[in-house]
């Protein structure tokens, strides 16, 4: 009976490890839907998406069309209901992922595939209410990718799309590398004031997130199918918030083989740093229980043996 108990305890520990492994969080916040730790087998990393934008040259596309590239269908002039502080605009459906290729220099590419949604909360100066606005990236089929580096060890992927007003909006992903690894070091979102109707802003607004994440071996790509969220703050004003949601993400920076397909994918699913100490603790606890059980059983048997004498 005691042996069985030990077995059950060990089994329980294993279950605990499994459960904690499934729920362990990344350095960056993940949503509750991350509990389903199964990777859909349909997403093949190396499969090139049909909508690939390359940015080797400054090709001036026919952007002279009069169609406004408004990202949300909601008319911005609607006054928010007076009962709530942050009136919920109807949620904008998330966009489909797009693949981007940016040429930094000879034998140095950044490739990325993802879909993003930015949720910016700001004060409407007319109603004095906090409103939120969702912007999708790619906003349409005209989001383009640019790459640049200011030194050998850092580089930037810039996704740019035309604003509903004048100028461009953009998202910048900063990467740095050392001898064997590279990582994302920060994210910046820049939007034109026309994207934030009835705000106090009259020039482009920048939101930033500066924290290292997604440390990856050089030559490999980093993939995260579950939703990743970043809390961004306006660089000079801590009260204005934006949340960047990234869906179906895969990227590779400092890519030197001139191929536009992703290298071996490091999956965020296996970034479970808490599992190891928990597993070790459980194994030790299981051993203690087994040894104790064995000791008790032998003692009982020995005691019985003495009685029969
Ligand atoms: C946008 O952010 C605000 C404030 O954090 C929140 O109330 C709102 O629900 C968010 N909207 C969406 C669609 O995520
Ligand atoms: C990237 O740009 C360099 C020049 O900066 C060029 O020599 C190279 O062919 C380009 N690579 C690709 C894949 O376009
Ligand atoms: C809007 O949000 C900011 C930051 O959370 C807060 O300080 C401010 O009081 C809010 N304004 C209103 C009108 O709710
Ligand atoms: C973008 O999509 C529109 C229709 O949605 C199409 O008319 C246009 O040709 C596309 N532009 C490019 C550059 O693919
Ligand atoms: C950008 O990186 C390339 C090598 O990938 C290097 O030759 C070049 O000097 C870098 N540019 C700057 C400004 O450091
Ligand atoms: C906006 O982006 C386009 C490419 O998408 C570029 O040609 C243009 O120069 C940019 N405009 C500004 C004002 O940066
Ligand atoms: C990635 O992590 C390793 C080990 O913690 C560290 O040595 C390396 O500097 C990190 N890489 C980057 C680019 O920060
Ligand atoms: C924006 O508004 C401020 C005052 O609110 C003014 O000082 C500044 O010149 C304006 N900037 C532009 C580009 O209009
Ligand atoms: C991001 O902001 C939301 C709402 O303000 C908060 O619940 C969440 O904990 C924040 N996440 C991080 C990583 O700071």
């Amino acid at each position: 009976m005691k042996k069985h108990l030990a077995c059950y305890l060990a089994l329980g520990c294993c279950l605990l490890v499994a459960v904690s492994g499934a729920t362990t969080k990344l350095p960056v916040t993940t949503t509750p839907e991350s509990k389903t730790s199964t990777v859909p087998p349909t997403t093949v990393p190396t499969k090139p998406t049909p909508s690939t934008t390359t940015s080797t040259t400054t090709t001036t596309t026919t952007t002279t069309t009069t169609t406004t590239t408004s990202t949300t269908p909601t008319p911005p002039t609607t006054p928010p209901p007076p009962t709530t502080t942050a009136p919920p605009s109807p949620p904008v459906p998330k966009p489909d992922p797009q693949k981007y290729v940016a040429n930094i220099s000879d034998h140095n590419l950044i490739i990325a595939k993802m879909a993003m949604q930015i949720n910016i909360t700001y004060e409407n100066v007319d109603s004095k209410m906090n409103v939120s606005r969702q912007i999708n990236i790619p906003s349409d089929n005209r989001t383009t990718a640019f790459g640049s580096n200011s030194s050998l060890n850092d580089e930037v992927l810039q996704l740019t799309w035309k604003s509903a007003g004048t100028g461009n909006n953009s998202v910048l992903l900063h990467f740095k590398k050392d001898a064997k690894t590279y990582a994302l070091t920060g994210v910046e979102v820049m939007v034109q004031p026309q994207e934030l109707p009835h705000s106090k802003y009259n020039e482009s607004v920048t939101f930033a997130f500066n924290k290292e994440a997604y440390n990856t071996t050089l030559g490999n790509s980093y993939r995260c199918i579950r939703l990743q969220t970043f809390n961004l703050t306006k660089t000079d004003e801590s009260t204005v918030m934006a949340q960047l949601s990234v869906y179906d993400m895969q990227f590779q920076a400092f890519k030197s083989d001139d191929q536009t397909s992703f290298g071996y994918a490091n999956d965020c699913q296996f970034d479970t740093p808490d599992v190891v100490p928990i597993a070790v603790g459980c194994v030790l606890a299981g051993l203690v229980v087994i040894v104790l059980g064995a000791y008790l059983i032998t003692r009982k048997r020995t005691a019985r043996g003495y009685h029969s004498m």
Side-chain angles (χ1 to χ4, degrees):
M1 271 321 274
K2 288 252 164 61
K3 261 183 190 160
H4 278 120
L5 187 69
C7 279
Y8 287 137
L9 279 169
L11 202 73
C13 265
C14 289
L15 279 174
L16 199 73
V17 171
V19 167
S20 63
T23 54
T24 316
K25 287 196 168 185
L26 264 184
V28 180
T29 337
T30 52
T31 47
E33 77 183 49
S34 68
K35 269 175 189 151
T36 49
S37 56
T38 43
V39 182
T42 43
T43 33
V44 183
T46 46
K47 195 187 86 187
T49 351
S51 55
T52 305
T53 351
T54 331
S55 67
T56 45
T57 48
T58 47
T59 44
T60 39
T61 43
T62 53
T63 43
T64 44
T65 42
T66 44
T67 44
T68 46
T69 57
S70 174
T71 46
T72 49
T74 5
T77 41
T78 352
T83 41
T84 47
T85 44
S89 47
V92 177
K94 77 175 179 79
D96 291 327
Q98 183 174 333
K99 189 172 174 182
Y100 306 98
V101 177
N103 185 1
I104 306 296
S105 59
D106 225 356
H107 309 302
N108 186 0
L109 294 177
I110 306 180
I111 56 175
K113 189 201 80 174
M114 56 187 76
M116 302 193 218
Q117 189 172 76
I118 316 165
N119 178 11
I120 300 174
T121 304
Y122 65 97
E123 194 188 56
N124 180 319
V125 287
D126 301 332
S127 65
K128 302 283 178 219
M129 307 293 295
N130 281 342
V131 293
S132 65
R133 173 92 202 249
Q134 286 87 47
I135 298 173
N136 279 352
I137 310 149
S139 66
D140 54 16
N141 55 7
R142 278 184 283 173
T143 302
T144 49
F146 300 93
S148 59
N149 62 334
S150 56
S151 79
L152 266 177
N153 294 330
D154 66 58
E155 58 191 31
V156 183
L157 173 65
Q158 179 171 359
L159 308 180
T160 293
W161 69 102
K162 204 175 176 310
S163 164
T166 51
N168 291 332
N169 302 311
S170 48
V171 171
L172 273 62
L173 302 175
H174 293 262
F175 298 95
K176 73 159 188 192
K177 72 163 173 144
D178 57 21
K180 290 199 175 75
T181 57
Y182 68 96
L184 180 79
T185 55
V187 177
E188 278 167 83
V189 172
M190 275 178 264
V191 295
Q192 296 299 326
Q194 291 87 353
E195 306 297 333
L196 309 175
H198 302 277
S199 71
K200 64 181 175 192
Y201 305 109
N202 59 359
E203 45 198 32
S204 77
V205 189
T206 302
F207 298 94
F209 168 91
N210 293 306
K211 208 169 148 201
E212 206 174 301
Y214 309 139
N215 189 314
T216 314
T217 309
L218 279 172
N220 290 358
S221 65
Y222 190 91
R223 178 175 60 182
C224 211
I225 282 152
R226 66 189 182 200
L227 172 64
Q228 301 293 295
T229 58
F230 299 89
N231 281 350
L232 312 174
T233 48
K234 189 171 178 306
T235 36
D236 54 350
E237 198 180 334
S238 58
T239 54
V240 184
M241 290 286 294
Q243 195 168 54
L244 176 68
S245 306
V246 186
Y247 306 87
D248 212 353
M249 170 182 88
Q250 187 168 10
F251 63 78
Q252 184 168 356
F254 303 100
K255 196 171 197 313
S256 56
D257 61 5
D258 294 330
Q259 303 286 307
T260 57
S261 55
F262 288 108
Y264 175 83
N266 286 115
D267 212 303
C268 64
Q269 200 191 328
F270 302 112
D271 286 352
T272 49
D274 291 343
V275 165
V276 173
I278 291 173
V280 168
C282 275
V283 165
L284 285 179
L287 274 176
V288 165
V289 166
I290 288 164
V291 166
L292 202 72
Y295 167 73
L296 286 174
I297 286 161
T298 28
R299 206 179 64 162
K300 216 175 208 175
R301 282 207 184 130
T302 328
R304 225 183 283 138
Y306 279 130
H307 270 292
S308 64
M309 248 181 172

